[in-house]
Amino acid sequence: MPAKSSSLTNLGERNSVFWFRVITLAEGWSFVVLLIFGSLLSRVSDIDLVQPLGLLHGALVIAWVLVFVAARRRLAWGVGPSLLAVLACLLPLTPFVFHRSKRAELLRAEARA
C-alpha cells in the first residue's frame, strides 16, 4: 500500500497552478511599482524606495521560479511555453501579456487539480 501523503503536501501540489497565476501577477505589479515609484521618487525627492521595492520584487521572482517548477509539471509544458514564461518573468509588463494569453489554459489546469 503506498504511503499516504499529508494534506499540506496535497494542498500545495493541487494549487500550484493557482499560485503560479497569483505570483505571476504579483511579480508583474511589483516590477511596475519598482520602475515607477522606486525610480521616479528617488529622482524627484529624497525618498528612496528602490531598495525595499527591489527586495520585494526579488523575493517574488524567487517565489515565481519555485512555483513555476511545480506548475510546469501540472501544465505539461514543453520547452517553448516554459521559455516564454521565463522571458515574461524577466521583461517589464510581459507577465500581464503572458497571463492573459495563457489564462484559459491555466484556469482549466487549476480546475483539474
Side-chain angles (χ1 to χ4, degrees), residues 74-96:
R74 179 157 303 282
L75 293 164
W77 280 352
V79 174
S82 297
L83 186 59
L84 286 175
V86 170
L87 286 175
C89 179
L90 299 175
L91 301 172
L93 301 178
T94 53
F96 306 115

Side-chain angles (χ1 to χ4, degrees), residues 33-98:
V33 169
L34 174 63
L35 292 175
I36 292 174
F37 292 107
S39 297
L40 182 64
L41 283 177
S42 67
R43 297 195 195 311
V44 299
S45 71
D46 291 335
I47 301 171
D48 186 13
L49 293 176
V50 173
Q51 185 173 1
L53 291 175
L55 181 65
L56 173 66
H57 176 67
L60 284 170
V61 169
I62 291 169
W64 182 91
V65 169
L66 295 173
V67 171
F68 170 72
V69 170
R72 183 176 181 257
R73 285 183 293 169
R74 179 157 303 282
L75 293 164
W77 280 352
V79 174
S82 297
L83 186 59
L84 286 175
V86 170
L87 286 175
C89 179
L90 299 175
L91 301 172
L93 301 178
T94 53
F96 306 115
V97 175
F98 178 80

Side-chain angles (χ1 to χ4, degrees), residues 7-41:
S7 61
L8 185 59
T9 304
N10 289 339
L11 181 68
E13 178 67 25
R14 201 181 69 147
N15 290 320
S16 61
V17 177
F18 168 77
W19 287 113
F20 177 69
R21 288 189 323 108
V22 168
I23 292 176
T24 296
L25 294 175
E27 186 273 332
W29 278 112
S30 74
F31 203 5
V32 170
V33 169
L34 174 63
L35 292 175
I36 292 174
F37 292 107
S39 297
L40 182 64
L41 283 177

Side-chain angles (χ1 to χ4, degrees), residues 17 21 75 77 98-112:
V17 177
R21 288 189 323 108
L75 293 164
W77 280 352
F98 178 80
H99 184 269
R100 176 115 173 135
S101 69
K102 296 287 188 182
R103 186 170 190 267
E105 181 181 353
L106 294 170
L107 289 173
R108 279 193 307 271
E110 188 179 327
R112 285 191 311 260

